[in-house]
Amino acid sequence: MDDKKLIGIDLGGTTTKFAIITPAGEVQQRWSIETDILEDGQHIIPNIIDSINHHLDLYQMKSEQFIGIGMGSPGSVDLAAGTVSGAYNLNWEGTVYPKRDIEAATHIDFKIDNDANVAALGERWQGAGDNDPDVTFVTLGTGVGGGVIADGHLLHGVAGSAGELGHITVQPGGYLCTCGKRGCLEQYASATGVVHIARDMAEEYSGDAQLKFMVDDGQDVSSKTVFDLAKDNDPLASKVVDRVCFYLGLALANVGNMLNPKYIVIGGGVSAAGDILLNGVQKYFEENTFPNVRHTTALRLATLGNEAGVIGAASLVLQDQQE
Amino acid sequence: MDDKKLIGIDLGGTTTKFAIITPAGEVQQRWSIETDILEDGQHIIPNIIDSINHHLDLYQMKSEQFIGIGMGSPGSVDLAAGTVSGAYNLNWEGTVYPKRDIEAATHIDFKIDNDANVAALGERWQGAGDNDPDVTFVTLGTGVGGGVIADGHLLHGVAGSAGELGHITVQPGGYLCTCGKRGCLEQYASATGVVHIARDMAEEYSGDAQLKFMVDDGQDVSSKTVFDLAKDNDPLASKVVDRVCFYLGLALANVGNMLNPKYIVIGGGVSAAGDILLNGVQKYFEENTFPNVRHTTALRLATLGNEAGVIGAASLVLQDQQE
């Protein structure tokens, strides 16, 4: 088995990434294709199959040389059945059968989990998580997702919603979330949440600040704009970042208080802001954790970036063997 | 192994409870002794050993007839070493060696974990948790404790603090906790927390209410007083209970959002209030969970009462065998 390989697939709304990885986590080959979501996304799985078979030909490899294929997918994933439903950004309205179809066409064992869980496994295995048995991952992108590995197990809960850190209530009665409830972390710490806070604070802000000028002037303001201005000590942008860090710090403190992981790893596009985010969150994390957690649970920025998905997806195959 | 038995010990600050239990969870014998915390608690372990050996003689049983002994203890427990440190309510200032001493004197394998974790295991196994792999337990007593069983594993985290639900921050900057930080659930949902809220709300309350009269009159007001008055529709007591339920509902909603357990079981003395507590908490739980969790994670009152500890302690022996 030692010279057998893994295939990791990170299925996203615009790109599908692939990698061939050793059981030790070394990425040997990487490629990607566009995700063709036209015609109800019916080409997505056939395109994945074609791409795998094409690359195995290219590298002169056979299915017997692989322990398995792991994939991360948007939507609601049924692990046992290997199916996905309600992946609206792929135009998959009904239930799709990646495991059945990919196993039949490649003759390689196939495992699947949701995209945030898979990224959590990746960061835990080869990234900032140091392969520790207790790692929580939060990803700050257009939305906020996450995954919890506790005592070496990726948690799913009774209905697959464990690790949905984006819906932690950080402000009861606060901003309305797409999930229908109010005050979700996602509304305060995603890229859109940062901009939402910026616009609301700009409206009330009476001082002189570049961020206020840009908002009032109708210019495009992104999460990156806000963090960049804060790095330049723009007074309003600094207040916005502080607010974002307060909510994220509170949510992650409560992750710490409940789970006491070794690391809480912060990834996703918003985390590219780097130390200004990490240091701000650290302050509120410390304020809201009790001493033993404050001293033993560490916050870290993710290190794998885009590769977390394929690496973590590949590791699904190994996780399964360990249990 | 099938006719071998387990011994469960629930070591508390005033009483130490014992039970002989079958591997199927049936309690066959129960007894208890006073916990003698005098002289730095040095008599506690010898008394436990004497009591076990005395009862084995009484029941004409031998050490070979037992799979193991499990114990729940206050303080900070080192599972692997089988030691306890900082159990101040037992007057144990330094490190104590229950595993070493009890195994040497009884010739029966010994496992230990902290008291709230052990109660969680008990309620999960034989109580309201229906032996599901995903159960979170919160106990509302003088303080607030808890335990998390996820994917069939009792979680400890990197430094033993997983499941410390009493220190979830529910009100940033709120009441000061004995742990040194502010806004801990324990300050709002323990027996003392309920009274604290009652006194603060009574001070601001201008209407006519029995609870206000009692507080102003300097009468003894307990958590039970507050819930009993609320059941009789005392307007202030109802507001206090609603406040308690808001904080507990928010905390448990976030347990749900992070872990999506099948059941969150509410135990401890305060939970004796029953449906008035459960229904109040349910309202805020629903307000603060996202739909998939709201529909799949259920709140329940504990059913084992005082027996949760000995039953869960005994199950430590079985847990260990499963892993």
Side-chain angles (χ1 to χ4, degrees):
Chain A
M1 176 187 133
D2 273 357
D3 52 356
K4 286 196 177 186
K5 305 291 187 290
L6 317 169
I7 295 176
I9 307 174
D10 180 5
L11 171 55
T14 51
T15 308
T16 305
K17 302 187 193 72
F18 300 78
I20 295 176
I21 298 177
T22 69
E26 189 198 340
V27 177
Q28 297 198 316
Q29 304 289 348
R30 293 175 57 195
W31 71 94
S32 65
I33 59 175
E34 268 184 71
T35 306
D36 178 3
I37 63 171
L38 298 177
E39 297 175 85
D40 299 330
Q42 63 175 288
H43 305 297
I44 294 175
I45 298 297
N47 287 352
I48 287 173
I49 291 169
D50 288 350
S51 186
I52 291 173
N53 285 335
H54 171 69
H55 279 78
L56 296 201
D57 282 350
L58 197 68
Y59 305 135
Q60 299 183 307
M61 297 181 81
K62 292 188 190 316
S63 58
E64 301 82 53
Q65 290 173 264
F66 291 91
I67 303 167
I69 300 172
M71 184 164 98
S73 172
S76 180
V77 174
D78 183 325
L79 307 184
T83 59
V84 177
S85 51
Y88 301 107
N89 63 336
L90 303 178
N91 286 335
W92 284 350
E93 302 255 327
T95 298
V96 175
Y97 299 82
K99 179 180 170 69
R100 181 195 67 190
D101 297 346
I102 294 176
E103 283 188 347
T106 64
H107 309 289
I108 303 174
D109 283 346
F110 180 90
K111 306 285 172 196
I112 188 166
D113 208 320
N114 86 49
D115 43 12
N117 279 345
V118 153
L121 287 175
E123 276 293 339
R124 178 251 188 156
W125 186 30
Q126 295 294 321
D130 279 358
N131 209 24
D132 195 86
D134 288 285
V135 174
T136 295
F137 175 70
V138 62
T139 174
L140 314 173
T142 319
V144 171
V148 174
I149 295 120
D151 206 2
H153 289 238
L154 177 66
L155 301 187
H156 294 92
V158 65
S161 287
E164 287 277 9
L165 307 188
H167 298 291
I168 293 174
T169 301
V170 292
Q171 179 64 65
Y175 288 165
L176 185 65
C177 184
T178 50
C179 79
K181 82 170 176 80
R182 291 188 176 275
C184 293
L185 176 64
E186 176 160 301
Q187 297 304 313
Y188 298 87
S190 65
T192 46
V194 173
V195 174
H196 191 171
I197 293 176
R199 292 189 181 283
D200 279 6
M201 291 184 82
E203 206 169 335
E204 291 176 13
Y205 191 74
S206 56
D208 199 26
Q210 177 68 11
L211 178 58
K212 180 168 174 66
F213 173 79
M214 290 177 72
V215 170
D216 290 350
D217 195 42
Q219 295 183 32
D220 255 4
V221 169
S222 69
S223 166
K224 184 173 187 311
T225 318
V226 174
F227 279 101
D228 285 348
L229 287 170
K231 285 175 192 171
D232 287 342
N233 297 312
D234 180 85
L236 174 59
S238 300
K239 279 176 189 287
V240 173
V241 167
D242 185 66
R243 184 77 61 94
V244 170
C245 290
F246 166 75
Y247 286 119
L248 185 56
L250 175 62
L252 298 187
N254 283 337
V255 169
N257 292 328
M258 283 181 210
L259 297 170
N260 188 26
K262 178 87 175 270
Y263 302 113
I264 299 177
V265 178
I266 305 170
V270 173
S271 76
D275 283 345
I276 191 173
L277 175 73
L278 185 64
N279 295 337
V281 174
Q282 181 74 35
K283 175 187 160 197
Y284 292 108
F285 178 81
E286 291 181 10
E287 265 183 40
N288 291 294
T289 39
F290 71 103
N292 196 38
V293 169
R294 194 182 309 141
H295 299 141
T296 60
T297 294
L299 302 183
R300 287 186 161 188
L301 293 171
T303 60
L304 294 183
N306 276 337
E307 272 198 331
V310 287
I311 292 174
S315 80
L316 283 176
V317 178
L318 300 173
Q319 276 255 321
D320 201 68
Q321 293 197 326
Q322 285 162 0
E323 284 174 28
Chain B
M1 175 187 135
D2 272 356
D3 52 355
K4 286 196 177 186
K5 305 290 187 292
L6 317 168
I7 295 175
I9 307 173
D10 180 5
L11 173 55
T14 50
T15 307
T16 304
K17 302 186 192 72
F18 299 78
I20 295 176
I21 298 177
T22 70
E26 189 198 340
V27 177
Q28 298 198 315
Q29 304 288 347
R30 294 174 58 195
W31 72 95
S32 66
I33 60 175
E34 268 184 73
T35 306
D36 177 4
I37 63 171
L38 297 178
E39 296 175 86
D40 299 331
Q42 63 175 292
H43 305 296
I44 293 175
I45 299 296
N47 288 352
I48 287 173
I49 291 168
D50 288 348
S51 187
I52 291 174
N53 286 334
H54 171 68
H55 279 79
L56 296 202
D57 283 349
L58 198 67
Y59 305 134
Q60 296 183 309
M61 298 183 79
K62 290 188 190 316
S63 58
E64 301 83 54
Q65 290 172 265
F66 292 91
I67 304 166
I69 300 171
M71 183 164 98
S73 171
S76 180
V77 174
D78 184 324
L79 305 184
T83 58
V84 176
S85 50
Y88 301 107
N89 63 335
L90 303 178
N91 285 335
W92 284 351
E93 302 255 327
T95 298
V96 175
Y97 298 82
K99 179 179 169 70
R100 181 194 68 189
D101 297 344
I102 293 175
E103 284 188 346
T106 64
H107 310 289
I108 304 174
D109 283 348
F110 179 90
K111 307 285 172 197
I112 187 167
D113 208 320
N114 85 49
D115 43 12
N117 280 345
V118 153
L121 287 175
E123 277 293 340
R124 178 251 188 158
W125 187 30
Q126 295 293 322
D130 278 358
N131 210 23
D132 195 86
D134 288 285
V135 174
T136 296
F137 174 71
V138 61
T139 174
L140 315 173
T142 319
V144 172
V148 175
I149 295 119
D151 207 1
H153 289 237
L154 177 66
L155 301 187
H156 295 93
V158 66
S161 288
E164 287 277 10
L165 307 188
H167 298 290
I168 293 173
T169 301
V170 291
Q171 179 64 65
Y175 289 165
L176 184 64
C177 184
T178 50
C179 80
K181 83 168 175 79
R182 289 187 177 274
C184 294
L185 176 63
E186 175 159 303
Q187 296 305 312
Y188 298 87
S190 64
T192 46
V194 172
V195 174
H196 191 171
I197 293 177
R199 292 189 180 284
D200 279 8
M201 289 184 82
E203 206 168 337
E204 291 174 15
Y205 190 76
S206 56
D208 199 29
Q210 175 69 10
L211 178 59
K212 183 170 172 64
F213 173 80
M214 289 177 72
V215 170
D216 290 351
D217 195 44
Q219 294 182 32
D220 254 2
V221 169
S222 68
S223 167
K224 184 173 185 313
T225 318
V226 174
F227 280 100
D228 284 347
L229 286 170
K231 285 176 192 171
D232 287 342
N233 297 311
D234 180 86
L236 174 59
S238 299
K239 279 177 189 287
V240 173
V241 167
D242 185 66
R243 183 77 63 91
V244 171
C245 290
F246 165 76
Y247 286 119
L248 184 56
L250 174 63
L252 298 187
N254 283 337
V255 169
N257 292 328
M258 284 182 209
L259 298 170
N260 189 25
K262 178 88 175 270
Y263 302 113
I264 300 177
V265 178
I266 306 169
V270 174
S271 75
D275 284 345
I276 191 173
L277 175 73
L278 185 64
N279 296 337
V281 173
Q282 181 73 33
K283 174 186 161 198
Y284 293 107
F285 178 81
E286 291 182 9
E287 263 184 40
N288 290 295
T289 39
F290 70 104
N292 196 39
V293 170
R294 194 181 310 141
H295 300 141
T296 60
T297 294
L299 302 183
R300 287 185 161 190
L301 293 172
T303 60
L304 294 183
N306 274 337
E307 272 199 331
V310 286
I311 293 175
S315 81
L316 284 175
V317 178
L318 301 174
Q319 276 256 320
D320 202 68
Q321 291 195 328
Q322 286 163 359
E323 285 175 26

